[in-house]
Amino acid sequence: MLFGSNKLVALDIGTSSIKLVEVEQSGRKVSLTAFGFIPTPPGCLNGGEITNPVALAEAVKTLVGQTKTKRKKASTAAWGTVIITKRISIPRIEEHLLGDQLKWEAEQYIPFDINEINLQYEILRNVNTNPEQMNVLLVAAKKDYILKYAEVIETAGLTCSVLDVAGFALGNCFEANYGKISGKVNILLNIGAGVTNFVVVENGEVTFSRDIPVGGTTFTNDIQKIMGITTDEAESLKISAGTGEPVPQEVTEAIQQTNEVVAEEIRRSFDFYMATATDVAIEKVYVTGGGLGIPGLYEQIQSILNTQVENLNPFLNVSYNRSVFTKEYIAQISPYASIGLGLALRMANDS
Ligand SMILES: Nc1ncnc2c1ncn2[C@@H]1O[C@H](COP(=O)(O)OP(=O)(O)OP(=O)(O)O)[C@@H](O)[C@H]1O
Ligand SMILES: [Mg+2]
């Protein structure tokens, strides 16, 4: 590129906060150059659907101002239960013909009107066993739903150069830190506020992604209902419990109950995947996201999935300037940074 810069600023737009991540890349070395976050104004997002793009854009603009990033090109990710991924196996054809063929066939796999959806596909090169077949992962969502994310970025005064899907950004973060692990299946869980991104990485490729509608908000709502208090009060009691401050017994019990419900939802996606896919054994489940602050959730997931669980470290392979960021700060932001980091590592004009 002769003019301008290909460097991206990543914006992970979540229900509870917006995260900004900026990295510098040279060869295979990655270093963190900026991180920031700002609370999402209430009522802007509902399960991933953007309901107030103007207020969201205002928050993005404030965040960009706070972090003083000079970059003008952004990467961001859409998410939500309405984004569908589907793995299909079709007779092998030449790759340049695949796009057109899928357009014709998509309706048989995806329950949307083809004219209203954005359809992306990924050829799964590493999971093929039969040479006459090809495995393809379809990713589909309504165009207007996805494009609202780009609209927020553009209204905030940036160019939206990469519009990703959150689960795939999470997969990208995993690959950058842990490499392409061949012959293995790993599950990634990002427990946010509105959803838990559930991602399967098989032989270094994302082969499944689904947003499960449970997360930190599920706990807040349950505490609110049981105690008969406001959402704000319930949220703050939940955080108190998460930071080890004393809370009423009812709160502890509500959290324990919801832990079981949330872990059960995750198990259902896990079982769904196991039933449809692979004969390769699950190696590990990597967990991340602000929801990990909830006491007992990690242990509940571990016991219900009966698999080795580990915290995903988005900075495992990412260095940072020690005079700008302390080790403590990096540890503190780690659960929030995974999707943003995966987005920061995309290249401009990827999609
Ligand atoms: N110490 C804590 N104890 C309990 N819960 C916490 C703690 N810290 C954060 N959370 C919860 O984590 C959630 C925020 O996590 P995160 O930033 O990953 O979500 P998000 O990206 O905004 O949401 P989503 O991706 O679902 O839209 C909130 O529900 C918040 O209440
Ligand atoms: Mg999130």
Side-chain angles (χ1 to χ4, degrees), residues 248-289:
Q249 182 65 19
E250 284 159 286
V251 174
T252 314
E253 281 167 18
I255 289 175
Q256 187 42 42
Q257 246 174 43
T258 310
N259 273 341
E260 287 169 24
V261 173
V262 166
E264 180 57 30
E265 277 302 320
I266 293 168
R267 191 184 63 85
R268 283 174 48 187
S269 285
F270 190 84
D271 288 352
F272 173 84
Y273 178 76
M274 296 294 275
T276 54
T278 174
D279 43 10
V280 189
I282 306 273
E283 189 189 32
K284 241 183 233 179
V285 176
Y286 288 87
V287 290
T288 185

mmCIF file of all heavy atoms in Angstrom, residues 248-289:
data_model
loop_
_atom_site.group_PDB
_atom_site.id
_atom_site.type_symbol
_atom_site.label_atom_id
_atom_site.label_comp_id
_atom_site.label_asym_id
_atom_site.label_seq_id
_atom_site.Cartn_x
_atom_site.Cartn_y
_atom_site.Cartn_z
ATOM 1 N N PRO A 248 -25.986 -11.118 50.749
ATOM 2 C CA PRO A 248 -27.025 -11.941 51.387
ATOM 3 C C PRO A 248 -27.020 -13.372 50.840
ATOM 4 O O PRO A 248 -26.691 -13.598 49.670
ATOM 5 C CB PRO A 248 -28.333 -11.240 51.002
ATOM 6 C CG PRO A 248 -27.949 -9.846 50.626
ATOM 7 C CD PRO A 248 -26.552 -9.911 50.123
ATOM 8 N N GLN A 249 -27.407 -14.284 51.714
ATOM 9 C CA GLN A 249 -27.461 -15.703 51.379
ATOM 10 C C GLN A 249 -28.276 -15.972 50.099
ATOM 11 O O GLN A 249 -27.910 -16.796 49.275
ATOM 12 C CB GLN A 249 -28.078 -16.454 52.573
ATOM 13 C CG GLN A 249 -28.163 -17.963 52.431
ATOM 14 C CD GLN A 249 -26.771 -18.618 52.366
ATOM 15 O OE1 GLN A 249 -25.762 -18.041 52.767
ATOM 16 N NE2 GLN A 249 -26.730 -19.829 51.828
ATOM 17 N N GLU A 250 -29.379 -15.204 49.928
ATOM 18 C CA GLU A 250 -30.230 -15.386 48.735
ATOM 19 C C GLU A 250 -29.458 -15.172 47.439
ATOM 20 O O GLU A 250 -29.717 -15.825 46.432
ATOM 21 C CB GLU A 250 -31.371 -14.357 48.743
ATOM 22 C CG GLU A 250 -32.500 -14.655 49.694
ATOM 23 C CD GLU A 250 -33.258 -13.365 49.998
ATOM 24 O OE1 GLU A 250 -32.698 -12.536 50.753
ATOM 25 O OE2 GLU A 250 -34.379 -13.201 49.476
ATOM 26 N N VAL A 251 -28.524 -14.215 47.486
ATOM 27 C CA VAL A 251 -27.742 -13.917 46.282
ATOM 28 C C VAL A 251 -26.827 -15.104 45.958
ATOM 29 O O VAL A 251 -26.759 -15.566 44.812
ATOM 30 C CB VAL A 251 -26.909 -12.617 46.469
ATOM 31 C CG1 VAL A 251 -25.986 -12.382 45.285
ATOM 32 C CG2 VAL A 251 -27.826 -11.430 46.686
ATOM 33 N N THR A 252 -26.163 -15.605 46.990
ATOM 34 C CA THR A 252 -25.281 -16.766 46.800
ATOM 35 C C THR A 252 -26.072 -17.946 46.235
ATOM 36 O O THR A 252 -25.612 -18.632 45.322
ATOM 37 C CB THR A 252 -24.647 -17.174 48.158
ATOM 38 O OG1 THR A 252 -24.180 -15.982 48.795
ATOM 39 C CG2 THR A 252 -23.518 -18.142 47.978
ATOM 40 N N GLU A 253 -27.278 -18.143 46.775
ATOM 41 C CA GLU A 253 -28.100 -19.265 46.299
ATOM 42 C C GLU A 253 -28.569 -19.049 44.856
ATOM 43 O O GLU A 253 -28.551 -19.982 44.053
ATOM 44 C CB GLU A 253 -29.324 -19.441 47.220
ATOM 45 C CG GLU A 253 -28.964 -20.173 48.503
ATOM 46 C CD GLU A 253 -30.071 -20.070 49.560
ATOM 47 O OE1 GLU A 253 -31.230 -19.743 49.194
ATOM 48 O OE2 GLU A 253 -29.750 -20.297 50.741
ATOM 49 N N ALA A 254 -28.974 -17.807 44.556
ATOM 50 C CA ALA A 254 -29.422 -17.504 43.190
ATOM 51 C C ALA A 254 -28.295 -17.755 42.197
ATOM 52 O O ALA A 254 -28.496 -18.343 41.123
ATOM 53 C CB ALA A 254 -29.894 -16.054 43.100
ATOM 54 N N ILE A 255 -27.087 -17.326 42.568
ATOM 55 C CA ILE A 255 -25.940 -17.515 41.667
ATOM 56 C C ILE A 255 -25.678 -19.007 41.457
ATOM 57 O O ILE A 255 -25.469 -19.468 40.328
ATOM 58 C CB ILE A 255 -24.686 -16.785 42.206
ATOM 59 C CG1 ILE A 255 -24.883 -15.272 42.066
ATOM 60 C CG2 ILE A 255 -23.422 -17.244 41.481
ATOM 61 C CD1 ILE A 255 -23.787 -14.422 42.660
ATOM 62 N N GLN A 256 -25.745 -19.773 42.535
ATOM 63 C CA GLN A 256 -25.489 -21.209 42.419
ATOM 64 C C GLN A 256 -26.511 -21.874 41.480
ATOM 65 O O GLN A 256 -26.159 -22.659 40.607
ATOM 66 C CB GLN A 256 -25.487 -21.870 43.805
ATOM 67 C CG GLN A 256 -25.067 -23.336 43.801
ATOM 68 C CD GLN A 256 -23.865 -23.636 42.876
ATOM 69 O OE1 GLN A 256 -22.887 -22.887 42.829
ATOM 70 N NE2 GLN A 256 -23.958 -24.730 42.098
ATOM 71 N N GLN A 257 -27.770 -21.476 41.663
ATOM 72 C CA GLN A 257 -28.837 -22.016 40.806
ATOM 73 C C GLN A 257 -28.615 -21.662 39.350
ATOM 74 O O GLN A 257 -28.744 -22.498 38.453
ATOM 75 C CB GLN A 257 -30.164 -21.385 41.221
ATOM 76 C CG GLN A 257 -31.153 -22.361 41.812
ATOM 77 C CD GLN A 257 -32.379 -21.600 42.322
ATOM 78 O OE1 GLN A 257 -32.887 -20.687 41.665
ATOM 79 N NE2 GLN A 257 -32.846 -21.966 43.487
ATOM 80 N N THR A 258 -28.277 -20.387 39.106
ATOM 81 C CA THR A 258 -28.084 -19.930 37.723
ATOM 82 C C THR A 258 -26.824 -20.557 37.124
ATOM 83 O O THR A 258 -26.784 -20.855 35.933
ATOM 84 C CB THR A 258 -28.052 -18.393 37.666
ATOM 85 O OG1 THR A 258 -29.191 -17.902 38.378
ATOM 86 C CG2 THR A 258 -28.111 -17.878 36.241
ATOM 87 N N ASN A 259 -25.812 -20.780 37.950
ATOM 88 C CA ASN A 259 -24.625 -21.506 37.467
ATOM 89 C C ASN A 259 -25.024 -22.827 36.828
ATOM 90 O O ASN A 259 -24.511 -23.208 35.775
ATOM 91 C CB ASN A 259 -23.677 -21.799 38.632
ATOM 92 C CG ASN A 259 -22.697 -20.660 38.892
ATOM 93 O OD1 ASN A 259 -22.477 -19.821 38.022
ATOM 94 N ND2 ASN A 259 -22.127 -20.620 40.081
ATOM 95 N N GLU A 260 -25.964 -23.522 37.481
ATOM 96 C CA GLU A 260 -26.389 -24.822 36.958
ATOM 97 C C GLU A 260 -27.121 -24.666 35.634
ATOM 98 O O GLU A 260 -26.893 -25.422 34.688
ATOM 99 C CB GLU A 260 -27.284 -25.538 37.989
ATOM 100 C CG GLU A 260 -26.462 -26.055 39.163
ATOM 101 C CD GLU A 260 -27.317 -26.534 40.340
ATOM 102 O OE1 GLU A 260 -28.488 -26.889 40.133
ATOM 103 O OE2 GLU A 260 -26.785 -26.534 41.476
ATOM 104 N N VAL A 261 -27.998 -23.645 35.568
ATOM 105 C CA VAL A 261 -28.767 -23.407 34.338
ATOM 106 C C VAL A 261 -27.832 -23.039 33.181
ATOM 107 O O VAL A 261 -27.942 -23.574 32.072
ATOM 108 C CB VAL A 261 -29.796 -22.265 34.569
ATOM 109 C CG1 VAL A 261 -30.495 -21.883 33.274
ATOM 110 C CG2 VAL A 261 -30.801 -22.670 35.637
ATOM 111 N N VAL A 262 -26.895 -22.133 33.448
ATOM 112 C CA VAL A 262 -25.983 -21.657 32.410
ATOM 113 C C VAL A 262 -25.065 -22.791 31.940
ATOM 114 O O VAL A 262 -24.892 -23.014 30.738
ATOM 115 C CB VAL A 262 -25.174 -20.439 32.927
ATOM 116 C CG1 VAL A 262 -23.992 -20.119 32.017
ATOM 117 C CG2 VAL A 262 -26.089 -19.218 33.054
ATOM 118 N N ALA A 263 -24.523 -23.533 32.885
ATOM 119 C CA ALA A 263 -23.627 -24.641 32.517
ATOM 120 C C ALA A 263 -24.390 -25.692 31.714
ATOM 121 O O ALA A 263 -23.858 -26.287 30.767
ATOM 122 C CB ALA A 263 -23.001 -25.252 33.765
ATOM 123 N N GLU A 264 -25.655 -25.905 32.067
ATOM 124 C CA GLU A 264 -26.493 -26.868 31.351
ATOM 125 C C GLU A 264 -26.716 -26.418 29.893
ATOM 126 O O GLU A 264 -26.644 -27.227 28.966
ATOM 127 C CB GLU A 264 -27.834 -27.024 32.087
ATOM 128 C CG GLU A 264 -28.822 -27.993 31.479
ATOM 129 C CD GLU A 264 -28.292 -29.407 31.312
ATOM 130 O OE1 GLU A 264 -27.436 -29.825 32.119
ATOM 131 O OE2 GLU A 264 -28.724 -30.093 30.351
ATOM 132 N N GLU A 265 -26.953 -25.116 29.695
ATOM 133 C CA GLU A 265 -27.102 -24.571 28.336
ATOM 134 C C GLU A 265 -25.830 -24.814 27.522
ATOM 135 O O GLU A 265 -25.880 -25.160 26.348
ATOM 136 C CB GLU A 265 -27.387 -23.067 28.381
ATOM 137 C CG GLU A 265 -28.841 -22.714 28.623
ATOM 138 C CD GLU A 265 -29.783 -23.295 27.580
ATOM 139 O OE1 GLU A 265 -29.430 -23.290 26.384
ATOM 140 O OE2 GLU A 265 -30.861 -23.776 27.980
ATOM 141 N N ILE A 266 -24.695 -24.587 28.158
ATOM 142 C CA ILE A 266 -23.413 -24.797 27.476
ATOM 143 C C ILE A 266 -23.243 -26.277 27.134
ATOM 144 O O ILE A 266 -22.824 -26.638 26.041
ATOM 145 C CB ILE A 266 -22.245 -24.260 28.340
ATOM 146 C CG1 ILE A 266 -22.348 -22.725 28.430
ATOM 147 C CG2 ILE A 266 -20.892 -24.698 27.800
ATOM 148 C CD1 ILE A 266 -21.449 -22.071 29.453
ATOM 149 N N ARG A 267 -23.649 -27.134 28.078
ATOM 150 C CA ARG A 267 -23.535 -28.574 27.826
ATOM 151 C C ARG A 267 -24.382 -29.001 26.620
ATOM 152 O O ARG A 267 -23.995 -29.852 25.836
ATOM 153 C CB ARG A 267 -23.944 -29.386 29.049
ATOM 154 C CG ARG A 267 -23.582 -30.874 28.918
ATOM 155 C CD ARG A 267 -24.082 -31.693 30.092
ATOM 156 N NE ARG A 267 -25.525 -31.680 30.186
ATOM 157 C CZ ARG A 267 -26.325 -32.500 29.519
ATOM 158 N NH1 ARG A 267 -25.817 -33.415 28.739
ATOM 159 N NH2 ARG A 267 -27.632 -32.408 29.645
ATOM 160 N N ARG A 268 -25.537 -28.368 26.475
ATOM 161 C CA ARG A 268 -26.404 -28.729 25.344
ATOM 162 C C ARG A 268 -25.746 -28.414 24.012
ATOM 163 O O ARG A 268 -25.844 -29.192 23.060
ATOM 164 C CB ARG A 268 -27.759 -28.032 25.472
ATOM 165 C CG ARG A 268 -28.627 -28.732 26.515
ATOM 166 C CD ARG A 268 -29.915 -28.006 26.799
ATOM 167 N NE ARG A 268 -30.623 -27.631 25.573
ATOM 168 C CZ ARG A 268 -31.712 -26.871 25.561
ATOM 169 N NH1 ARG A 268 -32.208 -26.420 26.694
ATOM 170 N NH2 ARG A 268 -32.295 -26.579 24.432
ATOM 171 N N SER A 269 -25.069 -27.272 23.933
ATOM 172 C CA SER A 269 -24.356 -26.944 22.690
ATOM 173 C C SER A 269 -23.195 -27.915 22.468
ATOM 174 O O SER A 269 -22.923 -28.331 21.339
ATOM 175 C CB SER A 269 -23.802 -25.512 22.744
ATOM 176 O OG SER A 269 -24.857 -24.605 22.572
ATOM 177 N N PHE A 270 -22.536 -28.237 23.556
ATOM 178 C CA PHE A 270 -21.432 -29.191 23.530
ATOM 179 C C PHE A 270 -21.927 -30.542 22.986
ATOM 180 O O PHE A 270 -21.364 -31.098 22.056
ATOM 181 C CB PHE A 270 -20.934 -29.327 24.971
ATOM 182 C CG PHE A 270 -19.653 -30.079 25.157
ATOM 183 C CD1 PHE A 270 -18.429 -29.442 25.007
ATOM 184 C CD2 PHE A 270 -19.663 -31.418 25.544
ATOM 185 C CE1 PHE A 270 -17.245 -30.119 25.220
ATOM 186 C CE2 PHE A 270 -18.490 -32.104 25.750
ATOM 187 C CZ PHE A 270 -17.268 -31.453 25.589
ATOM 188 N N ASP A 271 -23.042 -31.017 23.528
ATOM 189 C CA ASP A 271 -23.601 -32.298 23.092
ATOM 190 C C ASP A 271 -24.071 -32.237 21.641
ATOM 191 O O ASP A 271 -23.900 -33.191 20.886
ATOM 192 C CB ASP A 271 -24.789 -32.701 23.979
ATOM 193 C CG ASP A 271 -24.327 -33.139 25.362
ATOM 194 O OD1 ASP A 271 -23.098 -33.276 25.558
ATOM 195 O OD2 ASP A 271 -25.191 -33.334 26.234
ATOM 196 N N PHE A 272 -24.675 -31.104 21.273
ATOM 197 C CA PHE A 272 -25.127 -30.929 19.897
ATOM 198 C C PHE A 272 -23.947 -31.069 18.949
ATOM 199 O O PHE A 272 -24.000 -31.782 17.951
ATOM 200 C CB PHE A 272 -25.782 -29.547 19.732
ATOM 201 C CG PHE A 272 -26.130 -29.216 18.311
ATOM 202 C CD1 PHE A 272 -27.332 -29.665 17.767
ATOM 203 C CD2 PHE A 272 -25.269 -28.468 17.514
ATOM 204 C CE1 PHE A 272 -27.660 -29.381 16.448
ATOM 205 C CE2 PHE A 272 -25.586 -28.172 16.188
ATOM 206 C CZ PHE A 272 -26.777 -28.632 15.657
ATOM 207 N N TYR A 273 -22.870 -30.415 19.290
ATOM 208 C CA TYR A 273 -21.689 -30.479 18.430
ATOM 209 C C TYR A 273 -21.144 -31.912 18.374
ATOM 210 O O TYR A 273 -20.850 -32.438 17.302
ATOM 211 C CB TYR A 273 -20.601 -29.518 18.899
ATOM 212 C CG TYR A 273 -19.378 -29.645 18.027
ATOM 213 C CD1 TYR A 273 -19.379 -29.090 16.754
ATOM 214 C CD2 TYR A 273 -18.277 -30.390 18.418
ATOM 215 C CE1 TYR A 273 -18.303 -29.254 15.901
ATOM 216 C CE2 TYR A 273 -17.191 -30.559 17.571
ATOM 217 C CZ TYR A 273 -17.212 -29.984 16.322
ATOM 218 O OH TYR A 273 -16.144 -30.174 15.487
ATOM 219 N N MET A 274 -21.041 -32.526 19.526
ATOM 220 C CA MET A 274 -20.495 -33.889 19.589
ATOM 221 C C MET A 274 -21.326 -34.855 18.751
ATOM 222 O O MET A 274 -20.800 -35.772 18.136
ATOM 223 C CB MET A 274 -20.476 -34.387 21.037
ATOM 224 C CG MET A 274 -19.574 -33.596 21.953
ATOM 225 S SD MET A 274 -17.848 -33.769 21.521
ATOM 226 C CE MET A 274 -17.465 -35.272 22.408
ATOM 227 N N ALA A 275 -22.655 -34.632 18.730
ATOM 228 C CA ALA A 275 -23.534 -35.551 18.009
ATOM 229 C C ALA A 275 -23.435 -35.360 16.500
ATOM 230 O O ALA A 275 -23.650 -36.298 15.741
ATOM 231 C CB ALA A 275 -24.978 -35.334 18.463
ATOM 232 N N THR A 276 -23.110 -34.147 16.037
ATOM 233 C CA THR A 276 -23.127 -33.907 14.598
ATOM 234 C C THR A 276 -21.763 -34.066 13.947
ATOM 235 O O THR A 276 -21.687 -34.282 12.754
ATOM 236 C CB THR A 276 -23.582 -32.459 14.277
ATOM 237 O OG1 THR A 276 -22.752 -31.555 15.002
ATOM 238 C CG2 THR A 276 -25.032 -32.229 14.645
ATOM 239 N N ALA A 277 -20.708 -33.898 14.733
ATOM 240 C CA ALA A 277 -19.423 -33.790 14.069
ATOM 241 C C ALA A 277 -18.548 -35.015 14.188
ATOM 242 O O ALA A 277 -18.885 -36.082 13.744
ATOM 243 C CB ALA A 277 -18.711 -32.549 14.540
ATOM 244 N N THR A 278 -17.617 -34.988 14.910
ATOM 245 C CA THR A 278 -16.292 -35.485 14.671
ATOM 246 C C THR A 278 -15.972 -36.749 15.433
ATOM 247 O O THR A 278 -16.639 -37.088 16.404
ATOM 248 C CB THR A 278 -15.349 -34.350 15.114
ATOM 249 O OG1 THR A 278 -14.055 -34.798 15.043
ATOM 250 C CG2 THR A 278 -15.643 -33.946 16.526
ATOM 251 N N ASP A 279 -14.947 -37.411 14.994
ATOM 252 C CA ASP A 279 -14.499 -38.549 15.783
ATOM 253 C C ASP A 279 -13.200 -38.222 16.521
ATOM 254 O O ASP A 279 -12.599 -39.075 17.127
ATOM 255 C CB ASP A 279 -14.343 -39.792 14.897
ATOM 256 C CG ASP A 279 -13.670 -39.473 13.584
ATOM 257 O OD1 ASP A 279 -13.146 -38.339 13.440
ATOM 258 O OD2 ASP A 279 -13.660 -40.340 12.702
ATOM 259 N N VAL A 280 -12.783 -36.975 16.420
ATOM 260 C CA VAL A 280 -11.574 -36.560 17.140
ATOM 261 C C VAL A 280 -11.968 -36.142 18.561
ATOM 262 O O VAL A 280 -12.966 -35.461 18.753
ATOM 263 C CB VAL A 280 -10.895 -35.360 16.425
ATOM 264 C CG1 VAL A 280 -9.531 -35.074 17.030
ATOM 265 C CG2 VAL A 280 -10.769 -35.628 14.943
ATOM 266 N N ALA A 281 -11.192 -36.562 19.519
ATOM 267 C CA ALA A 281 -11.554 -36.267 20.915
ATOM 268 C C ALA A 281 -11.322 -34.798 21.259
ATOM 269 O O ALA A 281 -10.421 -34.157 20.731
ATOM 270 C CB ALA A 281 -10.738 -37.148 21.843
ATOM 271 N N ILE A 282 -12.163 -34.285 22.160
ATOM 272 C CA ILE A 282 -11.989 -32.916 22.656
ATOM 273 C C ILE A 282 -10.759 -32.877 23.555
ATOM 274 O O ILE A 282 -10.628 -33.684 24.477
ATOM 275 C CB ILE A 282 -13.212 -32.479 23.508
ATOM 276 C CG1 ILE A 282 -14.506 -32.667 22.743
ATOM 277 C CG2 ILE A 282 -13.025 -31.062 24.048
ATOM 278 C CD1 ILE A 282 -14.940 -31.552 21.868
ATOM 279 N N GLU A 283 -9.880 -31.936 23.263
ATOM 280 C CA GLU A 283 -8.679 -31.841 24.088
ATOM 281 C C GLU A 283 -8.937 -30.987 25.331
ATOM 282 O O GLU A 283 -8.710 -31.401 26.449
ATOM 283 C CB GLU A 283 -7.537 -31.243 23.273
ATOM 284 C CG GLU A 283 -6.228 -31.320 24.011
ATOM 285 C CD GLU A 283 -5.129 -30.533 23.317
ATOM 286 O OE1 GLU A 283 -5.425 -29.513 22.685
ATOM 287 O OE2 GLU A 283 -3.985 -30.942 23.411
ATOM 288 N N LYS A 284 -9.447 -29.781 25.086
ATOM 289 C CA LYS A 284 -9.597 -28.840 26.188
ATOM 290 C C LYS A 284 -10.695 -27.844 25.896
ATOM 291 O O LYS A 284 -11.006 -27.580 24.746
ATOM 292 C CB LYS A 284 -8.293 -28.052 26.339
ATOM 293 C CG LYS A 284 -7.618 -28.213 27.678
ATOM 294 C CD LYS A 284 -6.388 -27.349 27.740
ATOM 295 C CE LYS A 284 -5.175 -28.185 28.140
ATOM 296 N NZ LYS A 284 -3.953 -27.412 28.185
ATOM 297 N N VAL A 285 -11.223 -27.273 26.956
ATOM 298 C CA VAL A 285 -12.158 -26.162 26.821
ATOM 299 C C VAL A 285 -11.449 -24.923 27.363
ATOM 300 O O VAL A 285 -10.979 -24.919 28.504
ATOM 301 C CB VAL A 285 -13.454 -26.428 27.616
ATOM 302 C CG1 VAL A 285 -14.384 -25.226 27.552
ATOM 303 C CG2 VAL A 285 -14.167 -27.671 27.083
ATOM 304 N N TYR A 286 -11.315 -23.901 26.523
ATOM 305 C CA TYR A 286 -10.682 -22.647 26.939
ATOM 306 C C TYR A 286 -11.769 -21.624 27.222
ATOM 307 O O TYR A 286 -12.631 -21.384 26.375
ATOM 308 C CB TYR A 286 -9.760 -22.119 25.842
ATOM 309 C CG TYR A 286 -8.507 -22.930 25.683
ATOM 310 C CD1 TYR A 286 -8.482 -24.055 24.842
ATOM 311 C CD2 TYR A 286 -7.342 -22.594 26.360
ATOM 312 C CE1 TYR A 286 -7.331 -24.810 24.683
ATOM 313 C CE2 TYR A 286 -6.180 -23.342 26.212
ATOM 314 C CZ TYR A 286 -6.176 -24.446 25.373
ATOM 315 O OH TYR A 286 -5.040 -25.197 25.222
ATOM 316 N N VAL A 287 -11.743 -21.029 28.410
ATOM 317 C CA VAL A 287 -12.790 -20.082 28.785
ATOM 318 C C VAL A 287 -12.249 -18.663 28.938
ATOM 319 O O VAL A 287 -11.107 -18.458 29.358
ATOM 320 C CB VAL A 287 -13.514 -20.514 30.091
ATOM 321 C CG1 VAL A 287 -14.361 -21.737 29.866
ATOM 322 C CG2 VAL A 287 -12.517 -20.753 31.220
ATOM 323 N N THR A 288 -13.096 -17.699 28.585
ATOM 324 C CA THR A 288 -12.738 -16.291 28.719
ATOM 325 C C THR A 288 -14.025 -15.481 28.845
ATOM 326 O O THR A 288 -15.119 -16.042 28.830
ATOM 327 C CB THR A 288 -11.873 -15.843 27.498
ATOM 328 O OG1 THR A 288 -11.440 -14.500 27.686
ATOM 329 C CG2 THR A 288 -12.650 -15.929 26.192
ATOM 330 N N GLY A 289 -13.916 -14.163 29.030
ATOM 331 C CA GLY A 289 -15.096 -13.293 29.123
ATOM 332 C C GLY A 289 -15.337 -12.818 30.553
ATOM 333 O O GLY A 289 -14.930 -13.459 31.521
#
